[in-house]
C-alpha cells in the first residue's frame, strides 16, 4: 500500500525510522505581509512588552520590522512617515494565547460549530486549522477593538487530547494558510477535569472520572512512545502529533482548573517525557505558583471568571497578581469572542485586584501579560510580542493608557502594515460575511 505526499510523490505507508512525514508541515503558511510604509511614532509613552517603559519615546519600523526603539533623541531617517503620538501610548500588538475564533465563529450556529471532535476521548489526529473559517467577523472585531495582531486557535476542551492548535496572524485572508503565522510551532490542546469526564461519562464510556482521565492520557502516551520506536508500523496521524510533542517539536497547552490536578499533570508529563507549556484557565494557579515557576509553566488566566462550575469554585480575582508575585509567567487570555476585544481591560482588572491586597504590579509588566508572555507560550516570542529591534512590526497606538477602561486602539500595524485606523473609515477591515449586512464593520 502507498500514500501520496503533498508534492504528489508516492511513498510507502510504513512510517520508517527516518520518515519526516510525522513532523513536516503539509499545510504550509502562505502568509505574506500587507504593504506598509516606513513609520516613526514620536512622543508616546512606550511599553515594550518586557517590562520596559519609555516616556516621550520614539518607535521606528520599516519593511515589516522594528528598526529602533528609544527616546526623543532617536534619529529618524529620511522618508519616514511621522505620527505625533504625544499623550498616547504604544505597545506591541496584543496576542491572545487562547481563542476559538474561526472554529466557533459568529454567527454561533450548529453549522459553524467545528471546535470539538467529540467522537473519542483522544483525537490528536485533528487540526484546528482545518475548521478555521477566515470570514469569522470576530477576527476584524478583535483587531479593531482589541488591537489583536496574533492569536492561537485551539480545539475545544471536550476531549482529553483535542488536537493541534494553530497560530495565526490576524489579517484578512481568503484561506487559513494565508493567516498562518510563519515559522510558529504547532501546539497540542489537552484538557483535564470536568469536561472530558462529563462528555464521555454521559455516553457510558471511559473516562467518567478523574482517575479515568489520567488512565486514558497515560495509555495514549505509552502507545505513542511505542509508535516512535517501531520503524515498521503503519503511519498514524494522531500518534504523529503525540510523537511531535515527545520530541519537543509541538507545545502542550493544557486546559486545567484545579491546583491539585495541575500538579498531577506535571508529574504525568515528567513520567511520559513531555513538557506542559501553559495551563489554561488555571483559576487555582495562585495555590501552586512556586511549582509553576520551578517548572517554567505559564498560566493563561481570566481576570475574574470563577464559580461557574465546581472546578472553578476557588477562582479569585487576585490570581494573576499572586502568580506574578511568585515570579511565574502570567498570561491574560480570552476563550471568548467578546473578551478578546478587551484583553487590555481584563489585565487592568487583574492588576487592580492585586493592588487591593497590596501587590502593585507596574503597568509595564502588566502589558506583558497580553503581549510577550502570550507570545512565549505560543513559541513565537523570538518574532513578536515585544518592541525589540528586528522583530515583526506588530504595533498598537492607543489613544490613552491601555490599562484604562476609556482607552482603545487608534491604529494597529501588523508587520508594519497599518490594518486599522480609527480615523480612517477606509482602514476598518470588514469580513466578507458581513458585507451588505446590518452592522457591517461596527466597532462599538
Amino acid at each position: 500500500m502507498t500514500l501520496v505526499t503533498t508534492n504528489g510523490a508516492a511513498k510507502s505507508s510504513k512510517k520508517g525510522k527516518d520518515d519526516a512525514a510525522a513532523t513536516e508541515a503539509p499545510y504550509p503558511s502562505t502568509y505574506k505581509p500587507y504593504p506598509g510604509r516606513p513609520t516613526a511614532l514620536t512622543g508616546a509613552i512606550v511599553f515594550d512588552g518586557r517590562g520596559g517603559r519609555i516616556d516621550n519615546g520614539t518607535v521606528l519600523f520599516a519593511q515589516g520590522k522594528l528598526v529602533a526603539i528609544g527616546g526623543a533623541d532617536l534619529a529618524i531617517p529620511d522618508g519616514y512617515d511621522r505620527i505625533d503620538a504625544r499623550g498616547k501610548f504604544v505597545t506591541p500588538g496584543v496576542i491572545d494565547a487562547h481563542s476559538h475564533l474561526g472554529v466557533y465563529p459568529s454567527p454561533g450556529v450548529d453549522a459553524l460549530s467545528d471546535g470539538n471532535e467529540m467522537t473519542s476521548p483522544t483525537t490528536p489526529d485533528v487540526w484546528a486549522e482545518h475548521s478555521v473559517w477566515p470570514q469569522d467577523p470576530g477576527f476584524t472585531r478583535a483587531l479593531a477593538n482589541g488591537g489583536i495582531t496574533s492569536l492561537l486557535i485551539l480545539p475545544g476542551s471536550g476531549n482529553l487530547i483535542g488536537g493541534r492548535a494553530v497560530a495565526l496572524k490576524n489579517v484578512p485572508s481568503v484561506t487559513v494558510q494565508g493567516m498562518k503565522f510563519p515559522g510558529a510551532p504547532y501546539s497540542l490542546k489537552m484538557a483535564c477535569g470536568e469536561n472530558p469526564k462529563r462528555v464521555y461519562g454521559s455516553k457510558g464510556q471511559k473516562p467518567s472520572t478523574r482517575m479515568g482521565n489520567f488512565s486514558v492520557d497515560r495509555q495514549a502516551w505509552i502507545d505513542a512512545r511505542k509508535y516512535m520506536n517501531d520503524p515498521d508500523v503503519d503511519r498514524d496521524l494522531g500518534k504523529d502529533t503525540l510523537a511531535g510533542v515527545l520530541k519537543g517539536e509541538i507545545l502542550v497547552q493544557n486546559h486545567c482548573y484545579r491546583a491539585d490536578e495541575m500538579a498531577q499533570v506535571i508529574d504525568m508529563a515528567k513520567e511520559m517525557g513531555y513538557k506542559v507549556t501553559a495551563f489554561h484557565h488555571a483559576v487555582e494557579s495562585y495555590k501552586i505558583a512556586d511549582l509553576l515557576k520551578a517548572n517554567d509553566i505559564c498560566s493563561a488566566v481570566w481576570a475574574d471568571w470563577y464559580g461557574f462550575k465546581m472546578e472553578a469554585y476557588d477562582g479569585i480575582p487576585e490570581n494573576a497578581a499572586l502568580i506574578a508575585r511568585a515570579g511565574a509567567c502570567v498570561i491574560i487570555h480570552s476563550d471568548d469572542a467578546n473578551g478578546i476585544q478587551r484583553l487590555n481591560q481584563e489585565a487592568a482588572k487583574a492588576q487592580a485586584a492585586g493592588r487591593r491586597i497590596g501587590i502593585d504590579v507596574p503597568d509595564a509588566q502588566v502589558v506583558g501579560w497580553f503581549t510577550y508572555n502570550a507570545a512565549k507560550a505560543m513559541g513565537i516570542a523570538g518574532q513578536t510580542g515585544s518592541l525589540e529591534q528586528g522583530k515583526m512590526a506588530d504595533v498598537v497606538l492607543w489613544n490613552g493608557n491601555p490599562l484604562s477602561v476609556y482607552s482603545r486602539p487608534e491604529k494597529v500595524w501588523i508587520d508594519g502594515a497599518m490594518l486599522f485606523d480609527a480615523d480612517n473609515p477606509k482602514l476598518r477591515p470588514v469580513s466578507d460575511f458581513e458585507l451588505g449586512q446590518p452592522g457591517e464593520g461596527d466597532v462599538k
Side-chain angles (χ1 to χ4, degrees), residues 298-312:
C298 291
S299 296
V301 302
W302 299 293
D304 53 8
W305 284 16
Y306 67 95
F308 47 90
K309 54 182 175 177
M310 279 305 303
E311 63 186 4

Side-chain angles (χ1 to χ4, degrees), residues 141-223:
R141 295 297 197 279
L143 175 71
N145 293 333
I148 299 291
T149 56
S150 301
L151 61 169
L152 186 67
I153 308 300
L154 298 140
S157 56
N159 296 342
L160 290 164
I161 302 175
R164 294 198 197 194
V166 62
L168 301 180
K169 301 283 283 192
N170 191 19
V171 297
S173 176
V174 176
T175 67
V176 69
Q177 291 97 324
M179 301 175 73
K180 284 180 72 171
F181 195 109
Y186 281 106
S187 285
L188 175 65
K189 171 67 177 293
M190 296 186 67
C192 55
E194 291 184 23
N195 286 10
K197 77 186 189 82
R198 180 188 70 248
V199 169
Y200 291 96
S202 68
K203 297 178 180 181
Q205 69 180 88
K206 190 177 184 179
S208 65
T209 61
R210 280 183 164 82
M211 58 185 174
N213 284 350
F214 274 81
S215 169
V216 172
D217 274 339
R218 293 176 73 213
Q219 190 61 55
W221 292 116
I222 290 169
D223 293 346

Side-chain angles (χ1 to χ4, degrees), residues 349-401:
K349 289 195 298 183
Q351 178 192 39
R355 283 178 175 162
R356 287 192 288 270
I357 62 169
I359 303 173
D360 192 0
V361 185
D363 288 359
Q365 182 178 340
V366 172
V367 167
W369 294 356
F370 53 87
T371 57
Y372 182 79
N373 287 358
K376 174 185 174 182
M378 292 167 58
I380 56 175
Q383 298 164 272
T384 190
S386 58
L387 300 177
E388 297 180 79
Q389 183 178 9
K391 285 192 172 184
M392 295 171 167
D394 297 341
V395 181
V396 181
L397 175 64
W398 304 82
N399 62 7
N401 189 326

Side-chain angles (χ1 to χ4, degrees), residues 114-137:
D114 291 311
N116 262 314
E117 180 59 40
M118 290 190 292
T119 52
S120 170
T122 63
T123 56
D125 53 312
V126 302
W127 297 20
E129 66 197 76
H130 298 147
S131 282
V132 171
W133 184 42
Q135 293 186 54
D136 182 358

Side-chain angles (χ1 to χ4, degrees), residues 229-405:
N229 294 329
D230 185 349
D232 296 319
V233 70
D234 287 344
R235 188 178 174 196
D236 181 285
L237 291 177
K239 292 185 178 67
D240 279 354
T241 293
L242 298 180
V245 172
L246 293 172
K247 293 174 183 176
E249 298 165 349
I250 296 175
L251 309 178
V252 171
Q253 314 291 343
N254 207 131
H255 161 119
C256 214
Y257 286 74
R258 284 182 5 190
D260 60 310
E261 202 156 12
M262 286 186 271
Q264 288 180 321
V265 168
I266 291 171
D267 285 344
M268 177 172 62
K270 291 177 179 177
E271 175 196 14
M272 296 299 167
Y274 68 94
K275 183 185 185 302
V276 177
T277 299
F279 284 118
H280 292 239
H281 312 333
V283 300
E284 291 188 14
S285 279
Y286 66 95
K287 298 182 180 182
I288 55 166
D290 56 343
L291 180 63
L292 297 172
K293 179 185 178 183
N295 287 276
D296 189 29
I297 298 174
C298 291
S299 296
V301 302
W302 299 293
D304 53 8
W305 284 16
Y306 67 95
F308 47 90
K309 54 182 175 177
M310 279 305 303
E311 63 186 4
Y313 187 79
D314 256 359
I316 59 173
E318 299 83 5
N319 189 26
L322 288 166
I323 301 165
R325 185 178 68 174
C329 171
V330 179
I331 299 164
I332 298 295
H333 70 348
S334 78
D335 191 33
D336 178 72
N338 291 312
I340 195 173
Q341 299 177 42
R342 50 193 144 266
L343 289 182
N344 58 310
Q345 294 179 20
E346 295 301 302
K349 289 195 298 183
Q351 178 192 39
R355 283 178 175 162
R356 287 192 288 270
I357 62 169
I359 303 173
D360 192 0
V361 185
D363 288 359
Q365 182 178 340
V366 172
V367 167
W369 294 356
F370 53 87
T371 57
Y372 182 79
N373 287 358
K376 174 185 174 182
M378 292 167 58
I380 56 175
Q383 298 164 272
T384 190
S386 58
L387 300 177
E388 297 180 79
Q389 183 178 9
K391 285 192 172 184
M392 295 171 167
D394 297 341
V395 181
V396 181
L397 175 64
W398 304 82
N399 62 7
N401 189 326
L403 300 179
S404 167
V405 70

